[in-house]
Amino acid sequence: LFNLRKHIHLANSHYAHDFLKSKNIKSTILKGYISEFYDGKFDLNKKKNVILFNPTKDHIHYKKIIKQFPEYEFVALTKMSIQQIKNYYSTSKIFMDLGIHPGRERMPREAAVMGCILIVAKRGSTLNNFDVPISDLYKVDLRKNNSYENIGKLISKIFNNYDEHLKDFEIYRNQVSYINDKIIFNEKVISLIQNINKRS
């Protein structure tokens, strides 16, 4: 840690930046961007009552939720091509990520851009409104005894009124889009290089 403190580091999220700061390590935030392949084009009429999730992220909660709500269709995004994943993003209404978020997670951003409503756990970077600036309605506290029940109610609300819930993500979808994040990324890199040149 002593050697790390001699340098300025790049953090991909406020969560990582704050962690480094707690260790007295300086960093500047440089947010990555999703692929332009996820272009934000989707047909509302093709959206289905399907819940997507990444099975590598805290599979214990997913298993219990799937068992508790057999009336809903869950799809694990595993062993698929990026085209298959994009197709599921484009035609599903919900993307659920109940794992610990160590930063600005890629898949939730891709899913949101493609019209999925996010349901995430209050763990890691989702606890702040910088890395995941969405309404608390969509952030679930898994420590509460009724957390699964609340998730079930939220799923029902989204499926029954998807268009209105999609409006809640309009600003976020623009913020995490390839075009927006790439512009900010390029500007930040130029600024960093200019600062390095000044010091040298």
Side-chain angles (χ1 to χ4, degrees):
L1 285 177
F2 177 76
N3 288 329
L4 289 175
R5 289 173 186 146
K6 296 178 182 178
H7 309 284
I8 294 177
H9 300 265
L10 299 177
N12 190 36
S13 64
H14 285 268
Y15 182 73
H17 172 75
D18 290 344
F19 173 79
L20 291 173
K21 187 177 180 181
S22 71
K23 305 297 181 182
N24 294 317
I25 298 173
K26 294 180 180 179
S27 69
T28 185
I29 297 174
L30 181 65
K31 298 177 181 178
Y33 49 88
I34 64 173
S35 169
E36 61 183 324
F37 181 67
Y38 302 100
D39 53 15
K41 297 177 181 177
F42 57 92
D43 187 344
L44 286 173
N45 295 320
K46 292 183 179 179
K47 285 288 185 178
K48 301 174 184 177
N49 290 347
V50 174
I51 304 153
L52 307 176
F53 68 98
N54 179 359
T56 63
K57 301 287 292 292
D58 207 318
H59 60 279
I60 295 175
H61 286 295
Y62 295 132
K63 284 183 179 179
K64 291 180 180 179
I65 290 170
I66 291 171
K67 185 177 180 179
Q68 187 164 334
F69 301 104
E71 68 271 29
Y72 295 135
E73 181 180 353
F74 293 83
V75 174
L77 297 179
T78 183
K79 297 179 181 179
M80 296 182 186
S81 67
I82 59 170
Q83 184 61 61
Q84 289 174 313
I85 290 174
K86 183 180 180 181
N87 289 342
Y88 272 112
Y89 285 158
S90 301
T91 57
S92 304
K93 291 182 180 178
I94 295 175
F95 180 88
M96 187 182 296
D97 189 337
L98 302 180
I100 297 173
H101 289 235
R104 297 175 76 238
E105 296 293 87
R106 175 179 55 83
M107 291 187 78
R109 286 182 287 143
E110 292 171 351
V113 166
M114 299 307 299
C116 290
I117 307 302
L118 301 183
I119 297 178
V120 298
K122 284 187 174 181
R123 306 169 79 183
S125 63
T126 62
L127 291 170
N128 70 62
N129 288 319
F130 297 103
D131 295 323
V132 189
I134 63 175
S135 169
D136 261 3
L137 173 66
Y138 306 99
K139 297 181 179 182
V140 181
D141 189 346
L142 294 173
R143 296 171 300 177
K144 293 184 177 180
N145 293 330
N146 62 344
S147 61
Y148 291 171
E149 182 182 344
N150 289 337
I151 288 173
K153 290 178 180 178
L154 181 55
I155 290 172
S156 178
K157 289 178 181 178
I158 293 170
F159 283 168
N160 291 327
N161 205 359
Y162 167 74
D163 290 11
E164 287 302 311
H165 286 279
L166 188 62
K167 292 177 183 177
D168 289 344
F169 284 82
E170 191 171 338
I171 294 174
Y172 179 71
R173 283 171 45 226
N174 179 63
Q175 288 176 337
V176 300
S177 68
Y178 166 79
I179 294 175
N180 185 68
D181 263 353
K182 179 72 181 295
I183 291 172
I184 295 173
F185 180 88
N186 288 343
E187 290 175 347
K188 187 76 174 184
V189 169
I190 292 171
S191 175
L192 287 169
I193 293 172
Q194 289 174 340
N195 288 336
I196 292 172
N197 290 335
K198 287 178 182 178
R199 290 173 187 169
S200 59

